[in-house]
Amino acid sequence: MTGLWKNQAFTIAHADDGKFVGQGLRAFFEYRRLGIAEATQGKFGAHVIRAVPGMESPGAWHSHDLDFQMVYVTNGWVVFEYEGQGEHVLRAGSCVLQPPGIRHREVRHSDDMELIEITSPADFATHDEEAPQ
């Protein structure tokens, strides 16, 4: 990094330079980090998540210890279920703000599903949860 502006570095991530890796929160997804965590010293994180074709979600309930989590679907569709909100189908162009600590689960998705997730902080704890009543 050659300079910082308000504790952030300038960064650009190009799709043709990016690599998807399977070592992420969920084995049925692949993740491409966008360099935001490094540029913000971990204050924010951003990555592209895409489905691994043929793999399904186990639909496990969980929550996250974070301050901010936004999901924007760029391709395909995904069904999330949220505590007190029910199931929602998000498709290309859909955006959801998941409040801190809300119990949720990924129910199912298309093989071509791709989304962008932005979080604060970049690294956060995830907890298995019981299904809401």
Side-chain angles (χ1 to χ4, degrees), residues 15-91:
D16 52 355
D17 294 334
K19 304 286 186 271
F20 280 90
V21 295
Q23 297 129 349
L25 187 58
R26 307 282 175 230
F28 47 89
F29 289 151
E30 293 178 317
Y31 299 78
R32 181 171 71 88
R33 295 174 61 97
L34 299 176
I36 304 302
E38 297 79 8
T40 63
Q41 300 176 44
K43 187 171 181 180
F44 297 94
H47 45 268
V48 180
I49 301 172
R50 70 180 180 192
V52 175
M55 291 191 74
E56 295 182 13
S57 166
W61 285 95
H62 61 281
S63 66
H64 305 295
D65 285 339
L66 42 58
D67 297 321
F68 179 85
Q69 183 179 23
M70 187 202 87
V71 172
Y72 182 87
V73 179
T74 57
N75 197 55
W77 55 268
V78 59
V79 178
F80 287 110
E81 185 174 7
Y82 296 97
E83 173 183 2
Q85 305 301 314
E87 284 191 10
H88 292 271
V89 179
L90 281 70
R91 55 196 175 284

Side-chain angles (χ1 to χ4, degrees), residues 62-127:
H62 61 281
S63 66
H64 305 295
D65 285 339
L66 42 58
D67 297 321
F68 179 85
Q69 183 179 23
M70 187 202 87
V71 172
Y72 182 87
V73 179
T74 57
N75 197 55
W77 55 268
V78 59
V79 178
F80 287 110
E81 185 174 7
Y82 296 97
E83 173 183 2
Q85 305 301 314
E87 284 191 10
H88 292 271
V89 179
L90 281 70
R91 55 196 175 284
S94 297
C95 180
V96 62
L97 176 67
Q98 297 180 172
I102 190 170
R103 288 182 285 181
H104 62 284
R105 65 184 184 144
E106 195 272 346
V107 179
R108 60 191 169 278
H109 56 266
S110 62
D111 275 350
D112 64 346
M113 190 280 305
E114 189 171 286
L115 57 83
I116 296 169
E117 180 180 59
I118 300 171
T119 65
S120 181
D123 294 319
F124 52 87
T126 297
H127 306 284

